[in-house]
Amino acid sequence: MPCAFSLASLRLPLFSSPPTIPPSLQKVLKDAAMEDGTVILTTLNEAWAAPNSIIDLFLESFKIGVGTHRLLNHLVIIALDQKAFQRCLELHTHCFALITQGVDFRREAYFMTPHYLKMMWARIDFLRSVLEMGYNFVFTDADVMWFRDPFPQFYMDADFQIACDHFLGNSDDLENRPNGGFNYVKSNNRSIEFYKFWYSSRETYPGFHDQDVLNIIKFHPSTFTIGLRMKFLDTAYFGGFCEPSKDFNQVCTMHANCCYGLDSKLHDLRIMLQNWKQFMSLRPNLKKYFILPWGVPQNCSLDSLRHYDAPESNNPHDLQD
């Protein structure tokens, strides 16, 4: 059953709150969990929830992917505002409203603005709470298209594995450039302590994005002391606009990263889905020889990045990345 509660009851240190975890969250996660206690999580605000927007494309990708439709049974959509929650109820089974008192997450969160940073850090601490409840998770941004079941490509011995904007060829190389929009994390003492350390590091590096802080603390002695087993996912399987997967026969996910602005993102995501449908329409003997590149990025480019000093918009139909 879909549930709603306030962040003020979830023990997120960013907001003054008592140390309790609502039973409603427990129920949503329990209902969605796989046999091994794994859930798939994404977050949604009003901008991404609008009809014919990001969430529709996201869910469509599961339905047309290879071995992905069944994974919708394990997807929990975390709505960040009431309109997003209502739209989730129209589209999906497992919905949860994470309403933050005094914070409006409906608006576009321009990259690196205080509003954007608050949203990203709240997400990190929420994910820590999921780990403390004993659930493994795959976190995915809603602008990640799921074209193939990713679980066979995950590393069995890793605590924390994350997609990359740029992959250097070695899954253990700390110089890889991770992207927080897609990661698979197992619940254990190491991952919980790492998420606590990651979240607390926002105070050490004020004004930094969670992803930028990750790029710093992955080298930190505390990360090695925690003993976290970290892996970086190959863009051959987990690609994006920054570095597209080159083989339709291997790709699991494609992320609309290196892209800023709702119109550009939607334009290119629709082309991406059409590319996939064309591939899936081929006869099996032709698919294995299919080597054409993606038709994206087109409108998406780093030139569309809004700098940290851009004014924050009140238009909920703009999009954060």
mmCIF file of all heavy atoms in Angstrom, residues 15 61 81 145 151 179 184-185 194 199 228 237 243-244 291 306:
data_model
loop_
_atom_site.group_PDB
_atom_site.id
_atom_site.type_symbol
_atom_site.label_atom_id
_atom_site.label_comp_id
_atom_site.label_asym_id
_atom_site.label_seq_id
_atom_site.Cartn_x
_atom_site.Cartn_y
_atom_site.Cartn_z
ATOM 1 N N PHE A 15 17.652 17.803 8.966
ATOM 2 C CA PHE A 15 16.468 18.416 9.520
ATOM 3 C C PHE A 15 16.328 17.925 10.954
ATOM 4 O O PHE A 15 16.566 16.766 11.236
ATOM 5 C CB PHE A 15 15.225 18.017 8.719
ATOM 6 C CG PHE A 15 15.439 18.104 7.236
ATOM 7 C CD1 PHE A 15 15.737 16.969 6.492
ATOM 8 C CD2 PHE A 15 15.382 19.325 6.578
ATOM 9 C CE1 PHE A 15 15.950 17.054 5.126
ATOM 10 C CE2 PHE A 15 15.594 19.409 5.219
ATOM 11 C CZ PHE A 15 15.876 18.281 4.491
ATOM 12 N N SER A 61 10.801 2.159 -20.317
ATOM 13 C CA SER A 61 12.032 1.414 -20.586
ATOM 14 C C SER A 61 12.003 0.045 -19.915
ATOM 15 O O SER A 61 12.462 -0.950 -20.491
ATOM 16 C CB SER A 61 13.254 2.226 -20.136
ATOM 17 O OG SER A 61 13.412 2.253 -18.727
ATOM 18 N N ASP A 81 7.298 15.285 -3.281
ATOM 19 C CA ASP A 81 6.250 16.268 -3.044
ATOM 20 C C ASP A 81 4.904 15.609 -3.340
ATOM 21 O O ASP A 81 4.841 14.507 -3.883
ATOM 22 C CB ASP A 81 6.457 17.526 -3.902
ATOM 23 C CG ASP A 81 6.529 17.219 -5.385
ATOM 24 O OD1 ASP A 81 5.475 16.890 -5.973
ATOM 25 O OD2 ASP A 81 7.635 17.290 -5.961
ATOM 26 N N MET A 145 17.515 4.887 -18.352
ATOM 27 C CA MET A 145 16.648 3.936 -19.045
ATOM 28 C C MET A 145 17.182 2.519 -18.832
ATOM 29 O O MET A 145 18.374 2.259 -19.015
ATOM 30 C CB MET A 145 16.602 4.244 -20.542
ATOM 31 C CG MET A 145 16.086 5.646 -20.881
ATOM 32 S SD MET A 145 14.364 5.974 -20.437
ATOM 33 C CE MET A 145 14.550 6.971 -18.941
ATOM 34 N N PHE A 151 21.398 -7.105 -13.101
ATOM 35 C CA PHE A 151 21.939 -7.887 -11.994
ATOM 36 C C PHE A 151 23.032 -8.874 -12.411
ATOM 37 O O PHE A 151 24.001 -9.055 -11.664
ATOM 38 C CB PHE A 151 20.809 -8.588 -11.232
ATOM 39 C CG PHE A 151 20.041 -7.653 -10.334
ATOM 40 C CD1 PHE A 151 18.944 -6.956 -10.815
ATOM 41 C CD2 PHE A 151 20.438 -7.429 -9.021
ATOM 42 C CE1 PHE A 151 18.246 -6.064 -10.015
ATOM 43 C CE2 PHE A 151 19.750 -6.542 -8.205
ATOM 44 C CZ PHE A 151 18.652 -5.856 -8.699
ATOM 45 N N ASN A 179 29.194 8.305 -11.140
ATOM 46 C CA ASN A 179 27.986 9.119 -11.209
ATOM 47 C C ASN A 179 26.971 8.542 -10.234
ATOM 48 O O ASN A 179 26.604 7.369 -10.333
ATOM 49 C CB ASN A 179 27.421 9.126 -12.631
ATOM 50 C CG ASN A 179 26.236 10.058 -12.774
ATOM 51 O OD1 ASN A 179 25.209 9.892 -12.128
ATOM 52 N ND2 ASN A 179 26.370 11.055 -13.630
ATOM 53 N N TYR A 184 24.519 0.225 -6.889
ATOM 54 C CA TYR A 184 24.002 -0.972 -6.217
ATOM 55 C C TYR A 184 24.790 -1.127 -4.926
ATOM 56 O O TYR A 184 26.023 -1.220 -4.948
ATOM 57 C CB TYR A 184 24.178 -2.187 -7.113
ATOM 58 C CG TYR A 184 23.815 -3.519 -6.498
ATOM 59 C CD1 TYR A 184 22.718 -3.658 -5.644
ATOM 60 C CD2 TYR A 184 24.572 -4.657 -6.779
ATOM 61 C CE1 TYR A 184 22.378 -4.889 -5.102
ATOM 62 C CE2 TYR A 184 24.240 -5.895 -6.242
ATOM 63 C CZ TYR A 184 23.153 -6.004 -5.395
ATOM 64 O OH TYR A 184 22.824 -7.223 -4.846
ATOM 65 N N VAL A 185 24.070 -1.149 -3.793
ATOM 66 C CA VAL A 185 24.722 -1.161 -2.491
ATOM 67 C C VAL A 185 24.113 -2.262 -1.629
ATOM 68 O O VAL A 185 22.887 -2.377 -1.525
ATOM 69 C CB VAL A 185 24.561 0.197 -1.769
ATOM 70 C CG1 VAL A 185 25.386 0.219 -0.487
ATOM 71 C CG2 VAL A 185 24.973 1.352 -2.687
ATOM 72 N N PHE A 194 30.034 3.718 5.677
ATOM 73 C CA PHE A 194 30.487 4.558 4.568
ATOM 74 C C PHE A 194 29.475 5.646 4.263
ATOM 75 O O PHE A 194 29.849 6.808 4.039
ATOM 76 C CB PHE A 194 30.750 3.721 3.319
ATOM 77 C CG PHE A 194 31.167 4.546 2.138
ATOM 78 C CD1 PHE A 194 32.429 5.122 2.098
ATOM 79 C CD2 PHE A 194 30.299 4.775 1.084
ATOM 80 C CE1 PHE A 194 32.821 5.907 1.020
ATOM 81 C CE2 PHE A 194 30.670 5.566 0.010
ATOM 82 C CZ PHE A 194 31.931 6.127 -0.027
ATOM 83 N N TYR A 199 27.923 11.240 4.206
ATOM 84 C CA TYR A 199 27.000 12.312 4.570
ATOM 85 C C TYR A 199 27.661 13.336 5.489
ATOM 86 O O TYR A 199 27.502 14.554 5.307
ATOM 87 C CB TYR A 199 25.761 11.724 5.243
ATOM 88 C CG TYR A 199 24.715 12.749 5.585
ATOM 89 C CD1 TYR A 199 23.987 13.380 4.583
ATOM 90 C CD2 TYR A 199 24.460 13.095 6.905
ATOM 91 C CE1 TYR A 199 23.031 14.332 4.885
ATOM 92 C CE2 TYR A 199 23.501 14.049 7.215
ATOM 93 C CZ TYR A 199 22.791 14.661 6.202
ATOM 94 O OH TYR A 199 21.842 15.611 6.502
ATOM 95 N N LEU A 228 35.334 -0.740 2.984
ATOM 96 C CA LEU A 228 34.323 -0.827 1.934
ATOM 97 C C LEU A 228 34.909 -1.420 0.663
ATOM 98 O O LEU A 228 35.957 -0.993 0.190
ATOM 99 C CB LEU A 228 33.769 0.567 1.634
ATOM 100 C CG LEU A 228 32.612 0.594 0.639
ATOM 101 C CD1 LEU A 228 31.315 0.184 1.332
ATOM 102 C CD2 LEU A 228 32.476 1.982 0.009
ATOM 103 N N TYR A 237 28.255 -1.606 -20.254
ATOM 104 C CA TYR A 237 26.964 -2.111 -19.782
ATOM 105 C C TYR A 237 26.100 -1.000 -19.185
ATOM 106 O O TYR A 237 24.874 -1.047 -19.288
ATOM 107 C CB TYR A 237 27.176 -3.188 -18.715
ATOM 108 C CG TYR A 237 28.017 -4.344 -19.180
ATOM 109 C CD1 TYR A 237 29.357 -4.462 -18.802
ATOM 110 C CD2 TYR A 237 27.498 -5.317 -20.027
ATOM 111 C CE1 TYR A 237 30.140 -5.521 -19.231
ATOM 112 C CE2 TYR A 237 28.279 -6.379 -20.482
ATOM 113 C CZ TYR A 237 29.592 -6.480 -20.077
ATOM 114 O OH TYR A 237 30.370 -7.517 -20.511
ATOM 115 N N GLU A 243 29.294 8.968 -21.911
ATOM 116 C CA GLU A 243 30.079 7.893 -22.510
ATOM 117 C C GLU A 243 29.116 6.751 -22.849
ATOM 118 O O GLU A 243 28.900 5.849 -22.040
ATOM 119 C CB GLU A 243 31.158 7.431 -21.532
ATOM 120 C CG GLU A 243 32.234 6.564 -22.137
ATOM 121 C CD GLU A 243 33.409 6.396 -21.180
ATOM 122 O OE1 GLU A 243 34.189 7.363 -21.026
ATOM 123 O OE2 GLU A 243 33.531 5.325 -20.565
ATOM 124 N N PRO A 244 28.518 6.768 -24.047
ATOM 125 C CA PRO A 244 27.483 5.789 -24.390
ATOM 126 C C PRO A 244 28.019 4.364 -24.488
ATOM 127 O O PRO A 244 29.166 4.139 -24.884
ATOM 128 C CB PRO A 244 26.984 6.265 -25.761
ATOM 129 C CG PRO A 244 27.385 7.703 -25.845
ATOM 130 C CD PRO A 244 28.665 7.807 -25.078
ATOM 131 N N ILE A 291 25.514 -2.864 -35.184
ATOM 132 C CA ILE A 291 26.633 -2.081 -34.646
ATOM 133 C C ILE A 291 26.424 -0.573 -34.814
ATOM 134 O O ILE A 291 27.335 0.204 -34.577
ATOM 135 C CB ILE A 291 27.966 -2.478 -35.309
ATOM 136 C CG1 ILE A 291 27.884 -2.306 -36.826
ATOM 137 C CG2 ILE A 291 28.360 -3.890 -34.927
ATOM 138 C CD1 ILE A 291 29.200 -2.534 -37.548
ATOM 139 N N ARG A 306 23.729 24.980 -16.305
ATOM 140 C CA ARG A 306 23.483 26.247 -15.607
ATOM 141 C C ARG A 306 24.486 26.335 -14.465
ATOM 142 O O ARG A 306 24.579 25.441 -13.649
ATOM 143 C CB ARG A 306 22.065 26.288 -15.050
ATOM 144 C CG ARG A 306 20.976 26.364 -16.107
ATOM 145 C CD ARG A 306 19.631 26.447 -15.419
ATOM 146 N NE ARG A 306 18.541 26.432 -16.365
ATOM 147 C CZ ARG A 306 18.014 27.517 -16.907
ATOM 148 N NH1 ARG A 306 18.499 28.705 -16.591
ATOM 149 N NH2 ARG A 306 17.015 27.439 -17.753
#
